Amino acid sequence: MSNSELAELAKEITDNVQRCWKCRMCVEMCPTYEGWFTQSTAGRLMAINLYIKHGLGSEEDLSNMLYSCTTCRRCQERCRILSTDCSPADTILKARQYLVRKAELKGERNHEQIP
Amino acid sequence: MSKSLKDVIPVGHIYIKDNILEKDSLAGVSESKALWAKDLNLPKKAEYTFFAACGYQHMKYVEGMMGALKSASKMGMGMGKVVGISKAFGKVGVDLTGITAKITASKDDPYTPVLISAISVLRKLGLDVGYLHEEEPCCGSPMYYAGFEDDYAEHSRKNYEIFESFGVKKLIGLVPACTASLRDYYPKYIEGYDLEVQHVLEVVVQKLKKTGVKPKVKENVKVTYHDPCQLSRYLELTDEPREILKSIEGIELADLDPEQCGKWSTCCGGGGLEATHPELAERVGVRRVEELLETGASVIVSNCPACEMQLTKVTKKLNANVKVIDLVRLLDESLE
Amino acid sequence: MGGSIISDLKKLVGKENASDNIYERISYGQDAAQPDLEPEKIPVAVVKPQSTRGVSEALKYANKNKIPIYIHGAGTAFKGSPKPKRPGSILLSTQGLTSIEEHEEDMYYELGAGVNLYKLEKLLLSRGYLLPMTIGSKFSSTIGGAVSINTVGHMVDICLGKIIDYVMGVEVVLPNGDIIETGTRSIRRPAGLDYTRFFVGAEGLFGVITKVRFRVIADRKKAYVVGFFPELTDVAHAFQRYYREKLPPPLYGEVLDKVAAEAPFRLRGLGEPKGHMALAITISYAQEEADREAQEMVRVFKSENAIDAHVVTSKREQTDYWDARDNILNILQASEGDEKLVMAGALESSVPLSHLDDVLVYLQTGHTYRALKEAKLFIYGHIGTCDLHGMWVAPVSMPQAERMQIAKEAVQLEGDVNLMWGCASGEVGQTASRMPFFKKRYGMAAHTMLMNVKKAIDPNNILNPGNLEGEGYE
Ligand SMILES: Cc1cc2nc3c(=O)[nH]c(=O)nc-3n(C[C@H](O)[C@H](O)[C@H](O)COP(=O)(O)OP(=O)(O)OC[C@H]3O[C@@H](n4cnc5c(N)ncnc54)[C@H](O)[C@@H]3O)c2cc1C
Ligand code: SF4
Ligand code: SF4
């Protein structure tokens, strides 16, 4: 995993989010939604997007949001039928891959520094 | 393993990944996965190979593991602050190897019999399948869902070699997540992947039609069906389970509101979420069970080990007067 | 008080009803569509009061401390109105206000502003009523948002009226925290000065609507018509003729051009669209009457070159065609080669009936905007109510700057159309990104008047500040 591969993955994610209209039709579909957008699909997507683009928020909070998704795809079906079909659930999965890879990359670097 | 990984990825997922990579089992138990099949005389080679997966056979261990992870998370050690999972368990006084060692595939374990039923159903419908026994690998899908794509990809390629070495051509899966993994994700990572993967319910529906067999339950019962997400929205099988239920004499299917079942089924919160957000998982489960109870059914039928574990746990917690049963088991009991 | 904003707010509305989590602030700070919220404009806190009192406390606090408040229903308006323009703001979500009181004996429901439109529609239908609005985002939008925009979405205004005709009164929290009630409990609205109107369609400039007294209307019998046309202007001519013949206004009159229809048709297995699609729903108290009107519509469609026009009786077909049109974002499922498409620019205008055809031609070939001419255009709209939409799409990979150019030109073209034909946009609102046009269309004297009204009601300009000014969209 290199920096450029990580950047590619990041672009794939932000491109998908770019296609999301923030119409929020997925929100009520999400089994983890309990009244706050961060507990829902659309909130997760907006968080990833601004984290990647501007480094907003902490990785821990982001991780907590991403891993509280059950990957049930109910949002994705909603988005496909009623909206843009921007693959929200798959994008959340990609964002998890992004976190893992970023962490692994950091780990490799640390390793290099300590002979 | 890098320290930074543990800072951001929930320990439950890292733990499960390590189990798969080191012990080739979701629950990390080294005990054979094939015990359930020891009296069934399943050949290793056959036209169709049954893929049993970790789920049902090791569910008892997974229950213990989830319990331990839940305690860890309650102590605020679900993520970030822990240095190592064993240390976390040490702190909350849980000895994971202790728990798992005590449990063996017992008669009152509701999960293992599902595997036996699956074989029995297929046999009753005239299909003899093979099984790789100890050689059957863990498909690795939990790694995929946790974001460990590279580990999953590598694992899938290793597994494909195993399948090839046994001349496997056609797989019949039982656990929805593993079947989706083998059918839909392996091809993304394995060049020339040529295994034909079907879910057992697809095969059953075809066979029921062909043989004209008429299943029948001993006592009339009103059931409702919980679609596992992996079956309804990944494998896209929503008609098959209903066709099967409707084919059984004595079963009345009380389906939910169309916006809560089939391809719109609400998630029960079982599976990975329990490993990282157990309290949320429980609330999700309660919401789903409440929907299911509204149908007035006395039995909830499903067909996924994670769903069944979750639904059983939650219905117990709610003191609900319903039984959770696997579709394959129900069908087995309804066939001569 | 005097702690941090968030700790003060938590004391005022309860700690579970306020958040300063960065990701919460981002999610509530955005409206639908692009562009992303600029990081410096992310609100400092989100509050979600569960009662009118809570709203009042939050407003009092903001007013005293002169903190901007942006009101958010579901944030589905996409002209920038629910989105913060000024830094350091509080985002007030109405989604905690979900009470529903039924007063069927007096023909109204009293609805919390945060009640979701889809849930409301289902509830009303189950009681034999019709929700007189179909907003494309009904699955997420709130009644408070719809009332604040005064939009009936896809429905034809001259058939059953606009939302204002159904709002018997509202409960509003004024910027200083005072709670007032407007209107009546009678089905007859007050004559003369009825300041309900100050808040319906006010886009949150004058107060936070907390409750809506919503008149119910018995469900009607419907008949469905679909037509396919070789030219878009044929569809315009069909509706012009329909009204010229003094036929009763339909509930629905929709158009979806052929290229735009392709993706939604594919999604529903409808094959290739036979031409530009027109849809209509006629309604009446009696089925025979609705059917007769539908037959008239078919006749009119055919007389204006329809390749095919018929009454749709199959439930399945009704769902498929109408979903293909109502779920308009489905058109973005089209692709160009391997590339997925995104919206780059959008236009929406309600034009004079006699110029429907002229505007359609102008959108396609009449203007001289270069970036728009090069981009792919989808045309659709509520043609039965003379409302036309244009959406210019681009491949995801198109650089941001080029996309912004398309967006800019689309806004300019929208202004041109409205100025040229003396009309205005009929949906989504007039403030925020539409303010530069507003000033041109109605002049600075009109704008100053509105600014003065705003100042009188909201002296510290805490509610949705920047929207009336057009800040950020100069
Ligand atoms: C896919 C899609 C389709 C759409 N289709 C249509 C359509 O067909 N017709 C149409 O007109 N619009 C349409 N819209 C735009 C938008 O959905 C509507 O204008 C809708 O009414 C906004 O409702 P909301 O609850 O999301 O309000 P928001 O977008 O949150 O708010 C709208 C405005 O009202 C203010 N506001 C919200 N609630 C209150 C309140 N309780 N008190 C005071 N002010 C308040 C906000 O500050 C903002 O200025 C569509 C949007 C999308 C994403
Ligand atoms: S439904 Fe799709 S487009 Fe709409 S907010 Fe959700 S993910 Fe985005
Ligand atoms: S896949 Fe995740 S985000 Fe989507 S509905 Fe399920 S839990 Fe919510």
Side-chain angles (χ1 to χ4, degrees), chain A residues 19-26 41-42 45 75 78-79 83-86 88:
Chain A
R19 297 193 58 246
C20 159
W21 245 65
K22 310 187 202 90
C23 71
R24 292 167 167 88
M25 297 201 233
C26 51
T41 323
L45 295 188
C75 53
R78 193 70 180 276
C79 186
S83 195
T84 64
D85 193 21
C86 68

Side-chain angles (χ1 to χ4, degrees), chain A residues 29-32 40-41 44 69-75 89 92:
Chain A
M29 288 289 107
C30 184
T32 63
S40 78
T41 323
R44 291 183 178 111
C69 155
T70 71
T71 65
C72 73
R73 271 197 185 168
R74 201 157 174 246
C75 53
I92 290 169

Side-chain angles (χ1 to χ4, degrees), chain B residues 81-95:
Chain B
K81 295 167 197 95
V82 248
V83 190
I85 185 85
S86 49
K87 199 163 161 194
F89 288 155
K91 272 195 189 167
V92 288
V94 180
D95 173 9

Side-chain angles (χ1 to χ4, degrees), chain B residues 3-57:
Chain B
K3 195 171 171 184
S4 36
L5 195 63
K6 279 191 212 133
D7 292 336
V8 284
I9 310 304
V11 286
H13 285 313
I14 300 178
Y15 177 69
I16 292 171
K17 174 192 70 132
D18 290 347
N19 281 345
I20 297 173
L21 292 181
E22 285 157 26
K23 303 209 170 125
D24 201 27
S25 152
L26 164 69
V29 275
S30 2
E31 177 199 308
S32 162
K33 273 191 282 191
L35 278 181
W36 65 274
K38 67 181 190 315
D39 304 326
L40 297 177
N41 290 324
L42 292 167
K44 281 197 179 160
K45 266 200 165 79
E47 188 189 354
Y48 290 93
T49 307
F50 182 71
F51 191 83
C54 311
Y56 288 103
Q57 167 81 355

